[in-house]
Amino acid sequence: MGYQAPVRDMKFLFDDVLQLDRFSNLEGFADAPKDVRDQILEEGAKFCENVLAPLNSVGDKQGCKLNPDNTVTVPDGFTEAYHALVEAGWPLLSADPAYGGQGLPHVVNMAYSEMTSSANMAFGMYPGLTHGCYSAIHEGGTDEQKDLYLPKLASGEWAGTMNLTEPHCGTDLGLLRTKAVPQADGTYKITGQKIWISGGEHSMTSNHIHLVLARIEGAPAGVKGISLFIVPKFIVHADGSLGARNTVTCVGLEEKMGIHGNATCVMQYEEATGYLIGEPNKGLSIMFVMMNEARLGVGLQGMAVGESAYQAALAFAKDRRQGRSLTGPKEPDQPADNILVHPDVRRMLMDIKAHTEGGRAFLYWTALYGDLLHKSPDEAVRQKAGDYMSLLTPVLKAYLTDKGHKNASDALQVHGGSGFTEHYQASQFLRDSKIAMIYEGTNGVQALDLVGRKLAANGGRAIQTFFAEIDAFVAEHEGDEQLAPFIAGLASARAQLQDATMWLMANGMSNFDNAGASSHDYLHVFGLTGLAYMWALMAKAAFAKAGSEPFYDTKIKTGRYFIDRILPEIASHLAKVKTGAAPVMALSAEEF
Amino acid sequence: MGYQAPVRDMKFLFDDVLQLDRFSNLEGFADAPKDVRDQILEEGAKFCENVLAPLNSVGDKQGCKLNPDNTVTVPDGFTEAYHALVEAGWPLLSADPAYGGQGLPHVVNMAYSEMTSSANMAFGMYPGLTHGCYSAIHEGGTDEQKDLYLPKLASGEWAGTMNLTEPHCGTDLGLLRTKAVPQADGTYKITGQKIWISGGEHSMTSNHIHLVLARIEGAPAGVKGISLFIVPKFIVHADGSLGARNTVTCVGLEEKMGIHGNATCVMQYEEATGYLIGEPNKGLSIMFVMMNEARLGVGLQGMAVGESAYQAALAFAKDRRQGRSLTGPKEPDQPADNILVHPDVRRMLMDIKAHTEGGRAFLYWTALYGDLLHKSPDEAVRQKAGDYMSLLTPVLKAYLTDKGHKNASDALQVHGGSGFTEHYQASQFLRDSKIAMIYEGTNGVQALDLVGRKLAANGGRAIQTFFAEIDAFVAEHEGDEQLAPFIAGLASARAQLQDATMWLMANGMSNFDNAGASSHDYLHVFGLTGLAYMWALMAKAAFAKAGSEPFYDTKIKTGRYFIDRILPEIASHLAKVKTGAAPVMALSAEEF
């Protein structure tokens, strides 16, 4: 049995925890009442389970091929699946109705995206990056550019890519060298090499729209001289028809540890025709729209691969019989019990389950704020939503992908030696999940973004709002006996997060290395606190319906596992935060 | 620059920490004074750096091939390297002089083994398994068997393998089905299939000696009916000459996530001629000699791969320039600083360095007890040595391989996106390191062995001895200001290990699932305490020579990093130990 989308859990979040029907007065939400959402979840599940999941292993084993004519061949079945995806209209779910989209809430789309990433992460990146490209043009393009490019990007008929990295610069975009030379007709000639371009070339779509960061001749050095350009593979005429092949070529494919089904391209631009988006030298701010969306999407990948890895490990554990329960045979008529009886196997499965369900809640809860940011009529709500999106994006990206990789490793471990063979999918999940800790800004960069930028923005308003929300929740449920362990865990986590935050405020400014040295562990304190809050919210919703369905009791037990067995990790992260830079930076460069 | 053996660190352990010259009265040690040890380290380093390391990536990329005639082709260069290894006599280092060995201490051999595993883990497994086979026959064979097989196993002229696993049974050997039918001439006909046989077939050696677990017809079911057999690929005549090809065939190779350079074989035995070792139905006890040796060797692999991964990450970090130090440019004349200036990169490098150097000390320190167990004239010393070997083997195996995989993942992370491409070795280290958490008994099995068997053996004598040794060390150095942070850290760790042990004694017997649910975290409390002790020993030795060489100051700073930044993890493991089974086992099988 392959991947089964966790539709029940998604419905629980939509209906019982987030209670999306509360927002039916808002644009988009009105079109997504429960019956519509349920249908989307169920149809999405069918598509991902039946079409995408069976191709996951195919993609891993075949990978992509660069042909002598610089075209790229994707794995068997990918093209048909991609066409089916476009035909079914899945990419349009949350796109702007002005460009053919359905305009549904992002939070609903997030559940569909999760299924895609669980079923086939490498495949899911093709429409994923296209959506990012769509968002950047939607944010920064002229009306003319939007009309020209957005409808076919929204539908997935064309592919979109993002081109940032060059061989000598990844994180440090200020170093980039790709140049743009202005032409008399207002276009630019783009020349340079970009690497690690996901989906940079393939024939699943009739065109590619590359978003390319480049430096206009004479622009300032560093990040202040970077502009953003649209470089179509085939020039798009004003009437939408396709013209000449542009001088952008895939000249290489990376050989990678995972996500083999996605073509990671070296793209060569040789005086390729490009169109400026937004103001000259202001390209990074538009690219960051795409990046932030992509970062949430990568956090989602971390969680989603954990889900598939969990399902595979659970299926193996139920099937594999080795040894006996420590408390006596559970199935004496069988030659051995299944390994689900062993507490250490349970520990690994419960770790993954509690992280994944908590992470899913945290992502959907945040995605809802993404909708409110754009759609709420209440300015205070929009401000809070914007603050949360900004503050939580690095936490979700880094915490959930760190844990996603750990979860995939534990899931492989449940398989024992079988997991190390490529006969099972466990290895692919482990290999695929690692990239999520790296791309769209390494997790170290996320942690620095959190402590260096996001915390202090607007005088710390975002985290103060987050603390106040938790405090109100704790106060509201203080006498609730059922919820007591969740409330106690949450209150303790919140206190430790505050402690860590105070330490950073007191020590991070006087020596920035203190902030840098503590950033990783601070982010983990934050992630654990966020999940503690999510589990408290979920426990509350589950207790309200406990007994009506076994699902709710299981949910509560899983939450207790998180509080009892995972949340204690917060203390050691806090201790590490407080050591500051001294032990970390003690060695001189020469001593290494 | 490829792998550079950490010869300086090895000399530090031999000379300053373990002070091996103290034991020059003992057999073997007398032949390994400092100048001999130094020469072994330096020559071993040359061999591993120049011959084995360059083949590591070759092995990963080419893998092994099963040919239509059931022979196996190893990667290019492996055969020549193997012959060079045998010619240089490396496998003989610690082998019994009665069979051609040099009889040097195991602790000296361990350093050589480490270099092998760092340079080329997949290659190192070929002589590694052969040595395990040698040890089992040395332990359980008749004089005739020893004379016939040991000299050529000791030299590596023949290969040795261990055959335990069958498709339906890995951990649970009681289920095994391979059968042995007694023949009139005292031999047995062995029939069955064994899987995951490392180095089961290749042409680097003129013969293979397979050690095979099988059930003699009519033997009891379960583990009480398992016998051990020698099954040579080519029958060995009494005069040592090779006879007929035996009916044992490699019928498949596993496709694996890592260690591609090692042939992982499916071995088919079809009435193959086998020779019983030891008593009928007592095969497991001899196999465990091999297993325990192998477990230490696997712990060594975890540490050793961490070392290579560290070296690769450090070289990358020194070379890669991205961004500026948070405290201002360190190399203003360059376009960017190297990434070694970033505290979060330092954090990952220091984590690996502190774990690896601590782990190396713990392994060598334990290996010395392995020598004392056999060579000390003092019965009390031998008893202590046996207790420690027994108690610490599962700790070393599981703790160091858990950390080895984590270290390899962190080392890849230092590389950023480059690490995810197969152009660098980071991916191989991550992929290779995972198997060490699994084979020779998964780390979950190690943890259960520790809490279920090793702790309680002889009324808990081993761990009481360990506590007493730490207490004496703490008492001896109580007033030492330089050592104060190390002593404080060690004392705190020891107290927490005792706390965890008491909890287990109080709760593990009444409900074995409590022991099982706590075993992983208990083992980590133990591992952290062991490393805290090692760092205290190393700090003491380094302070004694501080100032004489920068090495010693670096060592002390690295130790402080361990105490300040890694040891705090112990508290969260202790908290998890104390939750017991309740949250872990809360879900019924149906709720999963």
Side-chain angles (χ1 to χ4, degrees):
Chain A
M1 192 175 71
Y3 169 68
Q4 302 285 304
V7 171
R8 181 67 193 88
D9 208 42
M10 293 166 167
K11 290 181 182 172
F12 168 67
L13 291 175
F14 286 171
D15 304 338
D16 299 326
V17 181
L18 302 179
Q19 302 177 28
L20 293 186
D21 290 340
R22 287 183 295 163
F23 303 100
S24 57
N25 58 320
L26 301 184
E27 206 191 321
F29 285 87
D31 302 323
K34 177 164 171 55
D35 60 330
V36 171
R37 295 194 306 261
D38 285 358
Q39 205 193 341
I40 290 170
L41 293 177
E42 281 149 23
E43 291 302 313
K46 275 189 215 161
F47 181 73
C48 293
E49 291 167 3
N50 300 332
V51 178
L52 301 188
L55 297 176
N56 199 20
S57 181
V58 175
D60 185 52
K61 291 196 176 7
Q62 290 188 354
C64 298
K65 284 178 199 71
L66 179 64
N67 303 309
D69 63 355
N70 298 93
T71 59
V72 167
T73 303
V74 295
D76 290 348
F78 271 43
T79 300
E80 294 76 6
Y82 189 85
H83 292 161
L85 171 97
V86 172
E87 195 156 327
W90 288 113
L92 293 166
L93 268 188
S94 64
D96 186 344
Y99 304 102
Q102 288 187 250
L104 297 182
H106 288 294
V107 63
V108 174
N109 187 54
M110 186 149 258
Y112 169 73
S113 292
E114 178 194 325
M115 297 180 199
T116 312
S117 292
S118 285
N120 196 325
M121 176 172 157
F123 180 94
M125 291 170 66
Y126 292 111
L129 270 295
T130 297
H131 194 268
C133 174
Y134 156 90
S135 298
I137 297 177
H138 195 273
E139 174 78 14
T142 62
D143 285 345
E144 216 178 346
Q145 287 171 335
K146 291 186 196 179
D147 290 340
L148 201 56
Y149 298 108
L150 290 188
K152 292 195 170 170
L153 284 171
S155 68
E157 219 175 311
W158 292 348
T161 73
M162 54 198 293
N163 294 242
L164 292 81
T165 306
E166 300 178 7
H168 64 291
C169 81
T171 300
D172 189 354
L173 289 170
L175 300 175
L176 76 78
R177 293 180 193 148
T178 296
K179 68 172 179 184
V181 181
Q183 304 297 303
D185 63 356
T187 65
Y188 291 79
K189 292 286 183 209
I190 313 287
T191 301
Q193 191 176 81
K194 294 288 184 177
I195 63 171
W196 303 346
I197 309 309
S198 299
E201 174 61 34
H202 58 69
S203 308
M204 297 191 294
T205 55
S206 57
N207 202 6
H208 269 70
I209 306 303
H210 303 292
L211 289 186
V212 183
L213 287 182
R215 202 180 294 280
I216 297 174
E217 259 192 340
V223 291
K224 289 179 181 151
I226 299 177
S227 305
L228 183 62
F229 298 88
I230 294 174
V231 182
K233 176 175 165 184
F234 291 100
I235 300 294
V236 185
H237 294 139
D239 66 357
S241 65
L242 296 187
R245 179 70 163 83
N246 209 344
T247 45
V248 46
T249 314
C250 175
V251 296
L253 287 186
E254 300 291 341
E255 218 187 302
K256 309 184 299 293
M257 187 168 80
I259 53 165
H260 295 157
N262 198 279
T264 305
C265 301
V266 180
M267 301 301 293
Q268 191 71 41
Y269 294 84
E270 296 285 358
E271 302 202 331
T273 299
Y275 309 92
L276 183 70
I277 316 185
E279 302 285 305
N281 304 335
K282 306 274 189 203
L284 273 186
S285 63
I286 307 169
M287 190 55 108
F288 264 100
V289 171
M290 191 167 176
M291 283 285 279
N292 274 327
E293 180 181 312
R295 285 172 177 183
L296 266 193
V298 173
L300 185 74
Q301 288 179 332
M303 183 273 285
V305 175
E307 172 70 39
S308 345
Y310 171 79
Q311 292 190 16
L314 179 60
F316 185 90
K318 285 181 169 175
D319 186 57
R320 177 77 172 171
R321 294 183 178 279
Q322 287 298 276
R324 290 295 184 187
S325 165
L326 296 169
T327 56
K330 292 290 167 284
E331 294 183 272
D333 53 324
Q334 296 284 346
D337 291 333
N338 71 22
I339 62 172
L340 200 56
V341 304
H342 301 307
D344 196 60
V345 170
R346 290 279 187 122
R347 172 186 65 80
M348 294 186 277
L349 290 171
M350 292 299 292
D351 268 358
I352 312 176
K353 185 176 170 67
H355 273 124
T356 300
E357 294 180 14
R360 177 177 296 122
F362 204 9
L363 278 161
Y364 290 17
W365 181 85
T366 306
L368 174 57
Y369 279 105
D371 285 308
L372 296 178
L373 171 62
H374 296 291
K375 293 174 178 170
S376 175
D378 183 338
E379 198 189 318
V381 171
R382 290 201 307 272
Q383 178 181 298
K384 178 179 173 179
D387 284 353
Y388 276 13
M389 289 297 285
S390 171
L391 179 70
L392 298 177
T393 294
V395 177
L396 288 164
K397 194 282 184 182
Y399 183 78
L400 296 182
T401 59
D402 275 0
K403 292 302 171 189
H405 184 60
K406 165 83 165 52
N407 288 341
S409 180
D410 278 350
L412 191 156
Q413 191 73 18
V414 168
H415 288 72
S418 299
F420 197 68
T421 71
E422 297 289 355
H423 181 70
Y424 289 85
Q425 274 199 285
S427 159
Q428 182 183 1
F429 296 135
L430 186 148
R431 291 183 287 99
D432 285 357
S433 65
K434 182 65 194 175
I435 191 58
M437 294 170 65
I438 296 171
Y439 60 15
E440 309 304 343
T442 65
N443 286 359
V445 168
Q446 304 300 323
L448 213 54
D449 179 44
L450 176 65
V451 303
R453 258 183 242 129
K454 301 302 179 62
L455 268 189
N458 303 306
R461 191 177 67 201
I463 193 166
Q464 294 309 332
T465 308
F466 187 64
F467 282 146
E469 178 171 345
I470 292 176
D471 290 343
F473 185 88
V474 168
E476 187 188 340
H477 301 285
E478 215 152 25
D480 187 328
E481 275 185 38
Q482 280 183 322
L483 276 180
F486 292 93
I487 297 300
L490 174 59
S492 159
R494 180 251 187 262
Q496 290 177 84
L497 177 58
Q498 177 147 30
D499 194 357
T501 309
M502 303 284 280
W503 188 93
L504 268 182
M505 287 169 63
N507 299 280
M509 294 302 177
S510 55
N511 176 359
F512 291 146
D513 275 350
N514 277 333
S518 301
S519 58
H520 168 86
D521 291 287
Y522 179 82
L523 188 145
H524 276 254
V525 171
F526 210 135
L528 285 158
T529 304
L531 258 62
Y533 184 37
M534 294 304 121
W535 274 113
L537 292 174
M538 289 194 283
K540 179 185 173 179
F543 275 122
K545 295 201 170 180
S548 70
E549 198 188 320
F551 173 85
Y552 294 108
D553 302 302
T554 305
K555 181 63 73 179
I556 293 162
K557 291 176 191 169
T558 307
R560 276 303 297 272
Y561 182 89
F562 179 85
I563 299 293
D564 292 349
R565 292 276 308 192
I566 296 178
L567 202 50
E569 292 171 10
I570 206 168
S572 70
H573 288 296
L574 178 60
K576 292 184 185 192
V577 164
K578 289 182 169 185
T579 68
V584 179
M585 305 302 284
L587 267 58
S588 68
E590 295 68 39
E591 282 180 281
F592 276 99
Chain B
M1 192 175 73
Y3 168 69
Q4 302 287 305
V7 170
R8 181 67 193 88
D9 208 43
M10 293 167 166
K11 289 181 182 172
F12 168 66
L13 291 174
F14 286 171
D15 303 338
D16 299 326
V17 180
L18 302 178
Q19 302 176 28
L20 293 186
D21 289 341
R22 288 183 295 163
F23 304 100
S24 57
N25 60 320
L26 301 183
E27 204 190 321
F29 286 86
D31 303 321
K34 177 163 172 55
D35 60 330
V36 171
R37 295 194 306 262
D38 285 356
Q39 203 193 344
I40 290 170
L41 293 178
E42 281 149 24
E43 291 302 314
K46 275 188 214 162
F47 181 73
C48 292
E49 291 167 4
N50 302 332
V51 179
L52 300 189
L55 296 175
N56 200 18
S57 180
V58 175
D60 185 53
K61 290 195 176 5
Q62 290 188 354
C64 297
K65 285 178 199 69
L66 179 63
N67 303 308
D69 63 355
N70 298 93
T71 60
V72 167
T73 302
V74 294
D76 289 348
F78 271 43
T79 300
E80 295 75 7
Y82 189 87
H83 292 160
L85 172 97
V86 172
E87 195 156 324
W90 288 112
L92 292 166
L93 269 188
S94 64
D96 186 344
Y99 303 102
Q102 289 185 250
L104 297 182
H106 288 294
V107 63
V108 174
N109 187 54
M110 187 148 259
Y112 169 73
S113 292
E114 178 195 325
M115 297 180 201
T116 312
S117 292
S118 286
N120 196 327
M121 176 171 158
F123 180 95
M125 292 170 65
Y126 292 111
L129 270 294
T130 297
H131 194 266
C133 174
Y134 157 90
S135 298
I137 297 177
H138 196 272
E139 174 78 16
T142 62
D143 285 343
E144 217 178 345
Q145 288 171 334
K146 292 186 195 180
D147 290 340
L148 201 57
Y149 298 108
L150 290 188
K152 292 198 169 168
L153 285 171
S155 68
E157 218 176 314
W158 292 348
T161 72
M162 54 196 293
N163 294 241
L164 290 82
T165 306
E166 300 178 6
H168 64 289
C169 82
T171 301
D172 188 354
L173 289 170
L175 301 174
L176 77 78
R177 294 179 192 148
T178 296
K179 69 173 181 184
V181 181
Q183 305 296 303
D185 63 356
T187 66
Y188 291 79
K189 293 282 183 213
I190 313 288
T191 301
Q193 191 176 81
K194 294 288 183 178
I195 64 170
W196 304 344
I197 309 310
S198 299
E201 174 62 32
H202 57 70
S203 307
M204 297 191 293
T205 54
S206 57
N207 202 6
H208 270 70
I209 306 303
H210 304 292
L211 290 185
V212 183
L213 288 181
R215 202 179 294 282
I216 296 172
E217 259 191 340
V223 291
K224 290 180 180 151
I226 299 177
S227 304
L228 183 62
F229 298 88
I230 294 174
V231 182
K233 175 174 166 184
F234 291 99
I235 300 293
V236 184
H237 294 140
D239 65 357
S241 63
L242 297 187
R245 180 69 164 84
N246 209 344
T247 46
V248 46
T249 315
C250 174
V251 296
L253 287 186
E254 300 291 343
E255 215 187 304
K256 310 184 298 293
M257 187 169 78
I259 53 165
H260 296 156
N262 198 278
T264 305
C265 303
V266 179
M267 302 299 295
Q268 190 71 41
Y269 294 84
E270 294 286 357
E271 301 201 333
T273 300
Y275 309 91
L276 183 70
I277 316 184
E279 302 287 304
N281 304 334
K282 306 271 189 207
L284 273 186
S285 64
I286 307 169
M287 190 54 107
F288 264 99
V289 171
M290 190 167 177
M291 283 286 278
N292 274 327
E293 179 180 312
R295 284 172 177 183
L296 266 193
V298 173
L300 185 72
Q301 289 178 332
M303 183 273 286
V305 175
E307 172 69 38
S308 344
Y310 170 79
Q311 292 189 15
L314 179 60
F316 185 89
K318 285 182 169 176
D319 187 55
R320 177 77 170 169
R321 295 183 177 279
Q322 290 294 279
R324 289 295 183 186
S325 164
L326 297 169
T327 56
K330 291 290 167 283
E331 294 182 273
D333 53 323
Q334 295 283 347
D337 291 334
N338 71 22
I339 63 171
L340 199 56
V341 305
H342 301 307
D344 195 61
V345 170
R346 290 278 185 120
R347 172 187 65 81
M348 294 186 277
L349 290 171
M350 291 299 293
D351 268 358
I352 311 176
K353 184 174 170 68
H355 273 123
T356 300
E357 294 179 14
R360 176 177 298 124
F362 205 9
L363 278 161
Y364 290 16
W365 181 85
T366 306
L368 174 57
Y369 280 105
D371 284 308
L372 296 178
L373 171 62
H374 297 291
K375 293 175 177 169
S376 175
D378 182 338
E379 198 188 319
V381 171
R382 289 200 308 274
Q383 177 179 297
K384 177 181 174 180
D387 283 353
Y388 276 11
M389 290 296 285
S390 171
L391 179 69
L392 298 177
T393 294
V395 177
L396 289 163
K397 195 279 186 185
Y399 183 79
L400 296 182
T401 59
D402 276 359
K403 292 301 171 190
H405 185 59
K406 166 81 165 55
N407 289 341
S409 180
D410 278 350
L412 191 156
Q413 191 73 19
V414 169
H415 288 72
S418 300
F420 196 68
T421 71
E422 297 288 356
H423 180 70
Y424 290 85
Q425 274 199 287
S427 159
Q428 181 182 3
F429 296 135
L430 185 148
R431 290 183 286 100
D432 284 358
S433 65
K434 182 65 193 172
I435 190 60
M437 294 170 64
I438 297 171
Y439 59 16
E440 307 306 342
T442 65
N443 286 359
V445 168
Q446 304 299 324
L448 212 54
D449 179 45
L450 176 66
V451 303
R453 257 182 243 129
K454 301 302 179 60
L455 268 188
N458 302 307
R461 191 177 67 202
I463 192 166
Q464 295 309 331
T465 308
F466 187 63
F467 282 144
E469 178 170 343
I470 291 177
D471 290 343
F473 185 86
V474 169
E476 188 187 339
H477 300 286
E478 217 152 24
D480 187 326
E481 274 184 40
Q482 281 184 322
L483 276 180
F486 293 93
I487 298 300
L490 174 59
S492 159
R494 179 248 188 264
Q496 290 177 83
L497 177 58
Q498 177 146 31
D499 194 358
T501 309
M502 302 284 280
W503 187 92
L504 269 182
M505 288 169 62
N507 299 281
M509 295 301 177
S510 55
N511 175 1
F512 291 145
D513 275 349
N514 278 333
S518 301
S519 58
H520 166 86
D521 291 287
Y522 179 81
L523 188 144
H524 276 253
V525 171
F526 210 134
L528 284 157
T529 305
L531 258 62
Y533 184 36
M534 293 304 121
W535 274 113
L537 292 174
M538 288 194 283
K540 180 185 173 180
F543 275 121
K545 296 201 170 179
S548 70
E549 198 187 320
F551 173 85
Y552 294 108
D553 302 302
T554 305
K555 182 63 74 179
I556 293 162
K557 291 176 192 168
T558 307
R560 276 303 297 272
Y561 183 90
F562 180 85
I563 299 293
D564 292 349
R565 292 277 307 194
I566 296 178
L567 201 50
E569 293 170 10
I570 206 169
S572 70
H573 289 296
L574 177 60
K576 291 184 184 192
V577 164
K578 290 182 167 186
T579 68
V584 179
M585 305 302 282
L587 268 57
S588 67
E590 295 68 37
E591 282 180 281
F592 276 98

